[in-house]
Amino acid sequence: MATPSRPAQDAQAWFRFARERARSQLEAWLSVGEWASQISHLVHMLQRERGASNIWLCSGGQLFAREREFCVTQTDQRVAAFREAPPPLASSGSLLAWRMACALWQLEQLPALRARILARETEPLEAMEGFNLAIRHLLNLVPEASESVDEASLARALTALYSFMQGKELTGQERAIGAIGFTQGAFSEPLRQRLADRIDGQQRCFETFLALAAAEIREGYWRHGEAGLELEQLRRLACTRLPADNDNGARAVRWFALQTTRLDALRDIEEALIAALLAEARRLLAQDNVSESPEALLARRARQQGDMDAPALERHLLPLVRQQAREVESLTRQLASLQTSLEERKLIERAKSLLITHQQLSEEEAWHQLRKLAMDQNKRMVEIAEAMLAVARLWPVTRKE
C-alpha cells in the first residue's frame, strides 16, 4: 500500500492511508488468531506424544505402548492440518518464513525420531529434546505472525497468549521429565534440577499471563489450571527422595494422568485466549465501520496521542514477547535454582501444617484454603504462606476447639 503522494500530503490524505492500513492489519490479525489455534492443537499432541514416549522408553516398552501409538496417529493428523492451514505471510516479515521453514524441517524429522524410539536406540532425554525442538519452533511462529501491533489491546492479548503457551509447554516438559524419574524409580540430581526449573519457569510465564488476561480467563486458570494437591505431593517426592518400594510404574502412570488432566484444562484456557484475541480484532474492525467524520476522528485521535499520561507499555509488548522466545531457548541457564524452588515448597508445607494444627483441617482442606487465599488476593501460594508464617510468629495462634 503506497503512502500519499507529495501533492496530497495533507491531514485528510494521511487519515485515509492510516485507516486503510489499520483495517488491513486487523483483517490480517483474524488469520493470525486462526493460525495460532492450529499451532496450539499441534503442539498439544506433540506434548502428549513426548510424555508417552518417555514412559514407554523408561519402562522398556512395558507401559503406554497403545497410548504412544494413539498419540503418533493424532500428532500426524494435526501435522497434516497445520500444513494445509495458510500462514498469514501478508502481515509478516521474512523472519516468519525462516521460522516456518525451520518448524516444518523439524516436523519432518519426527519419523526418524520415532523409529529410534521404537528400536530403543535413543535415551529418554535425547528423545525429549527432539520433541522440544519441534515445539519450540512452532511456538516461535506465534509472535512473528505479525510484523507490528499498533493496537495496545491486541498487543496485550498476544502477550497473554504467548506467555501462556510458553507456560503450558514448560508444564508439558515437567510431565515428560517426571515420567522419566518416576518410571525409573529415581531422580538424579540433574534430572531433579530440570524438573524444578520447569516448575519455576511455568510459574513465571503464568504470572505474565495473569497480569494481562481478562478476569474470566484468569478465573478459569485458578479453578482448573493450577497444580492440585496430589500433583504437588508427587512433585515433593520427586524433589526430595522416592520411597524404596515397587510402586514406580503406578506412580508414573498417576503422574502422567494428573499432568494430562491439567494440560487438557490449560488447552481449553489457551483456546479461550485465542478466542479473546479474535474477538478483539473483530471488535476493532466493527469500531472502524462506525460512521464518524474524518474531522471528529482526527481530533479524537490527536487528543489521545497527545495525552502524556496514557500508559505506553502496551505498545512495547511485542518486543517483550519475542524476547521471551529467545529466553526460553536458554531456560536452564536463566531459571531459578533447585534450592529456591525447594525453599518455596518448604514454606507452603509449613503453612499447611499451621492450618492443620490450629484449625483442625485435613491436609487437603489446608491446601484448598491456601489456594483460595491466593486466588482471592491474586498472589502466589508461597506469598500467602510467607504472610501466614510471619503472622504466626508475631501473635500466638489459638487452636480451634
Side-chain angles (χ1 to χ4, degrees):
M1 185 184 300
T3 58
S5 60
R6 183 167 296 278
Q9 286 210 25
D10 56 20
Q12 292 286 337
W14 278 100
F15 165 79
R16 289 190 296 271
F17 173 74
R19 201 162 196 174
E20 289 170 11
R21 183 73 172 175
R23 184 169 186 81
S24 175
Q25 287 182 339
L26 288 172
E27 288 171 347
W29 265 94
L30 292 176
S31 62
V32 169
E34 292 160 1
W35 199 50
S37 183
Q38 287 285 350
I39 292 172
S40 172
H41 276 92
L42 174 53
V43 165
H44 188 67
M45 285 316 306
L46 283 167
Q47 289 167 339
R48 184 170 290 188
E49 183 181 348
R50 175 180 59 195
S53 297
N54 273 0
I55 290 184
W56 188 87
L57 279 170
C58 292
S59 66
Q62 298 301 306
L63 296 172
F64 273 50
R66 281 185 293 183
E67 289 87 345
R68 192 192 68 82
E69 291 175 2
F70 173 78
C71 289
V72 167
T73 301
Q74 293 292 305
T75 300
D76 285 344
Q77 290 177 2
R78 282 296 165 191
V79 169
F82 173 71
R83 289 179 184 277
E84 293 173 4
L89 291 172
S91 63
S92 63
S94 61
L95 186 55
L96 175 64
W98 281 110
R99 290 204 181 278
M100 185 69 173
C102 291
L104 289 171
W105 185 87
Q106 201 66 49
L107 290 174
E108 289 166 5
Q109 310 311 304
L110 279 179
L113 174 60
R114 290 164 175 167
R116 293 197 303 274
I117 291 171
L118 198 58
R120 297 184 214 163
E121 294 174 350
T122 182
E123 294 297 319
L125 284 174
E126 182 184 357
M128 177 180 163
E129 185 56 27
F131 288 107
N132 289 356
L133 283 172
I135 292 170
R136 184 183 306 156
H137 284 301
L138 288 166
L139 290 181
N140 284 345
L141 290 170
V142 176
E144 298 300 339
S146 181
E147 198 169 47
S148 63
V149 181
D150 294 335
E151 294 289 344
S153 57
L154 281 180
R156 290 177 65 87
L158 175 65
T159 308
L161 171 62
Y162 187 68
S163 298
F164 187 87
M165 293 177 84
Q166 286 189 335
K168 180 174 176 285
E169 163 55 5
L170 293 175
T171 304
Q173 289 188 26
E174 180 196 359
R175 175 176 64 182
I177 293 169
I180 295 173
F182 283 116
T183 306
Q184 292 177 339
F187 284 82
S188 65
E189 199 57 39
L191 194 64
R192 194 173 283 133
Q193 177 73 60
R194 285 176 181 239
L195 185 70
D197 282 347
R198 269 57 179 184
I199 294 171
D200 191 58
Q202 66 190 254
Q203 184 64 39
R204 292 170 185 263
C205 291
F206 289 141
E207 283 174 358
T208 301
F209 143 74
L210 288 168
L212 298 170
E216 63 272 14
I217 297 179
R218 294 199 305 268
E219 184 70 21
Y221 171 78
W222 284 324
R223 292 193 178 281
H224 307 293
E226 289 193 307
L229 174 62
E230 188 177 359
L231 186 55
E232 281 291 339
Q233 290 171 335
L234 288 172
R235 280 176 167 179
R236 188 168 66 235
L237 280 179
C239 290
T240 52
R241 185 181 297 276
L242 294 183
D245 53 30
N246 296 318
D247 291 339
N248 298 331
R251 278 196 199 91
V253 171
R254 186 58 183 158
W255 167 268
F256 192 87
L258 289 169
Q259 290 282 25
T260 298
T261 298
R262 185 186 179 205
L263 280 161
D264 287 345
L266 293 178
R267 173 79 187 88
D268 292 338
I269 297 168
E270 196 171 65
E271 277 299 305
L273 286 166
I274 293 169
L277 182 67
L278 289 168
E280 181 59 18
R282 293 190 184 101
R283 184 189 71 80
L284 291 168
L285 272 170
Q287 187 181 68
D288 185 61
N289 288 328
V290 174
S291 58
E292 186 175 9
S293 69
E295 292 80 5
L297 183 55
L298 277 170
R300 179 166 57 80
R301 290 298 292 260
R303 286 194 300 271
Q304 291 173 349
Q305 295 293 328
D307 184 2
M308 299 303 294
D309 295 328
L313 174 63
E314 288 88 345
R315 70 189 63 182
H316 302 296
L317 287 174
L318 188 60
L320 170 63
V321 169
R322 289 173 177 160
Q323 178 63 25
Q324 284 181 336
R326 291 189 289 270
E327 289 176 354
V328 165
E329 293 180 8
S330 57
L331 175 69
T332 53
R333 296 193 303 271
Q334 297 178 2
L335 295 182
S337 65
L338 171 66
Q339 185 62 37
T340 301
S341 183
L342 290 177
E343 288 301 323
E344 289 187 354
R345 296 189 182 288
K346 288 178 184 176
L347 286 172
I348 292 172
E349 289 301 314
R350 286 170 57 197
K352 276 170 49 182
S353 298
L354 191 70
L355 288 172
I356 290 169
T357 302
H358 294 281
Q359 298 296 316
Q360 296 181 351
L361 301 178
S362 67
E363 184 179 7
E364 184 171 1
E365 289 171 337
W367 166 264
H368 285 301
Q369 180 75 359
L370 280 172
R371 186 180 180 188
K372 185 177 185 305
L373 287 168
M375 285 173 56
D376 292 344
Q377 299 181 36
N378 194 15
K379 291 183 178 179
R380 298 175 61 199
M381 284 183 67
V382 67
E383 294 177 284
I384 299 298
E386 286 176 336
M388 188 175 294
L389 292 169
V391 170
R393 286 194 295 269
L394 293 173
W395 293 286
V397 181
T398 305
R399 291 175 183 267
K400 186 177 179 180
E401 296 299 333

